[in-house]
Each structure stands twice: as structure tokens, then as C-alpha cells.
Amino acid sequence: MSNLPTVAEVAQMIDHSLLRPELALDDVLAGCDLAAEYAVASVCVKPADVEAAVERLAGTGVLVGTVVGFPHGSATARVKAAEARAALSEGARELDMVLNIGRLRGGQDDVVLDDIRAVVEAAPGAVVKVIFENAYLTDAEKIRACRLSEQAGAGYVKTSTGFAPSGATLADVRLMRANVTDRVRVKAAGGVRTLDVLLEMTAAGASRFGATTTAAMLDELAARRAGRGIRGSCA
């Protein structure tokens, strides 16, 4: 079991996702409590839930993140920047923004660059993660998105929202890791529901994960490290 990361190490790779549209505020607060219990890196909540999450997680060390231009990326750069400023004013410290997918596919790289840069500049001190929504992109488009995100000053490139036809894949994680410098990290989201998938994607180059099965994955890791192997129990 010594080759496995510790539970604390993996917990600090997880953004506990609370983005489903049907979640009531009580559901979000319960998710915040779970995030605090497991000491994950952050929660990622809907913009309307930021203030409540910040209050709930005060003093726990768990950061609050939210989304910008979610889930389709089609808002204007001005609107996305306003979303970013509002989120920071309410206590968010990490922002997962969806780039303008249609403009990227249309070859309008200058528009995509300005779109990402508007959020980065509106959020000094915050971590900005750029969501590509890879289900809709070719590999060449993903590579361009990597380079534009880094040029704009983003801290992470991210595979997916979790709301498209498919989510993170090992091939995409490897491609994205290969096309940004060490300054930019890779976040995998969408379908990261088991410990084995998380560990495989870590080996492929991801260092942060959007997850809803946080407790199951971390409990399984604890069990494996204790020698009570229960592989596949959180599938």
C-alpha cells in the first residue's frame, strides 16, 4: 500500500462539486460540511450559493470556488468579468470559467484570448481554471485552447463541465498536460467517479479533480491503505 498517496494528499486534489441545478441550499450546505470533514481543496458551487458556502466553511481551510459563463461559455467577456468580480466580492477564491466554445471552433483565437483574459484580469489573486468542454473539440482545438489559456494567464486548463455528452478522458489529460508549461496545471472533471480513475488521471498529468463521489473515493483510499482492499466499491 506504500505506493498509494495519502488520503490527505488526494483530498487536496479534489474540488467537491455542488453544481447540479436541482440542489437546494440545504443540499449545498451539507456538501460543504462533507468537504470540511474530508479537508478537500475546495467546493465548487453555483454563483447564487457562494456567500452561504463561504459562511459555512469559514475557518475550515476549504476554499470556495464558483463558475463563470457556465455551462456553455456563451456570455460576453464583459459579463464574464462582471461575474468574476461579483464572485470574488462574495468570498470566492477560485473561478472555473467556460471559454467561448463556438468562437474557438470558428478560429477566432483573438476573441477567445480576450474572453479568458477578461476574467483573469477581473480576478486578481484568484485561481482561474479554463473549461474547454472537450466533447465538442478536436485535438487541434484543444491544443489551441491550452495555448490561449496560458497566454491569458490562467492557472489551470480543465477538461469539462460535467454537463456535456462526455467528460474527462485519459487521452485529453495527457494532451492538455503536454501543451501547457509547468506553470499551468490540469483539472479533470466529468466522470471522475472512482478512485482508480482519479489515480490513473493523476499519473497522466492531472492535479485537480472535480468530483461528486468525494467521500466514496477517499473512504476507499483509506481502506486500501489500511489493507482492507475494496477495489471498485465506489463505482
Side-chain angles (χ1 to χ4, degrees), residues 5 9 11 19-20 25 60 66 126 184 213:
E9 287 169 341
L19 295 172
R20 295 199 315 272
L25 183 56
T60 66
T66 191
V184 178
T213 58

Side-chain angles (χ1 to χ4, degrees), residues 25 32 50-51 81 83 91 93 116 127 136 142 147 149 165 215-216 232:
L25 183 56
C32 290
V50 168
E51 284 188 300
E83 284 188 82
R93 290 296 172 261
I116 301 168
V127 175
Y136 302 124
K142 296 166 196 173
R147 294 172 180 169
S149 297

Side-chain angles (χ1 to χ4, degrees), residues 124-205:
V127 175
V128 175
K129 306 166 198 165
V130 182
I131 306 171
F132 295 178
E133 203 68 290
N134 283 340
Y136 302 124
L137 305 178
T138 66
D139 283 355
E141 289 163 348
K142 296 166 196 173
I143 290 169
R144 283 176 30 234
C146 283
R147 294 172 180 169
L148 292 166
S149 297
E150 180 155 9
Q151 187 178 348
Y156 281 82
V157 290
K158 178 178 170 182
T159 60
S160 326
T161 63
F163 291 91
S166 62
T169 67
L170 283 170
D172 279 345
V173 169
R174 292 187 184 107
L175 181 73
M176 293 163 73
R177 180 66 270 163
N179 284 283
V180 290
T181 70
D182 290 343
R183 186 188 69 76
V184 178
R185 290 175 282 182
V186 177
K187 177 176 174 179
V192 184
R193 298 188 181 93
T194 69
L195 177 61
D196 285 328
V197 169
L198 184 149
L199 294 174
E200 287 170 353
M201 291 198 173
T202 300

Side-chain angles (χ1 to χ4, degrees), residues 7 48 57 61-62 80 87 97 104 121 125 132 139 158 171 184-186 216-217 219 227:
V7 173
L57 289 166
V62 178
K80 289 179 180 177
M97 69 160 292
L104 179 72
E121 292 180 350
F132 295 178
D139 283 355
K158 178 178 170 182
V184 178
R185 290 175 282 182
V186 177
M217 290 193 293
D219 287 348

Side-chain angles (χ1 to χ4, degrees), residues 77-114:
R78 183 183 301 176
V79 169
K80 289 179 180 177
E83 284 188 82
R85 286 190 290 269
L88 261 64
S89 73
E90 293 167 359
R93 290 296 172 261
E94 300 199 345
L95 302 174
D96 290 34
M97 69 160 292
V98 187
L99 57 69
N100 193 314
I101 300 162
R103 296 295 187 265
L104 179 72
R105 294 189 67 205
Q108 295 176 272
D109 288 7
D110 55 339
V111 175
V112 177
L113 179 64
D114 290 344

Side-chain angles (χ1 to χ4, degrees), residues 2-62:
S2 61
N3 61 326
L4 286 171
T6 68
V7 173
E9 287 169 341
V10 173
Q12 282 298 299
M13 298 178 183
I14 293 176
D15 297 338
H16 186 56
S17 179
L18 298 165
L19 295 172
R20 295 199 315 272
E22 74 273 18
L23 293 180
L25 183 56
D26 284 348
D27 299 321
V28 173
L29 296 177
C32 290
D33 292 343
L34 184 149
E37 177 185 352
Y38 284 88
V40 300
S42 79
V43 295
C44 191
V45 301
K46 294 169 287 188
D49 297 329
V50 168
E51 284 188 300
V54 168
E55 181 177 353
R56 190 69 157 212
L57 289 166
T60 66
V62 178

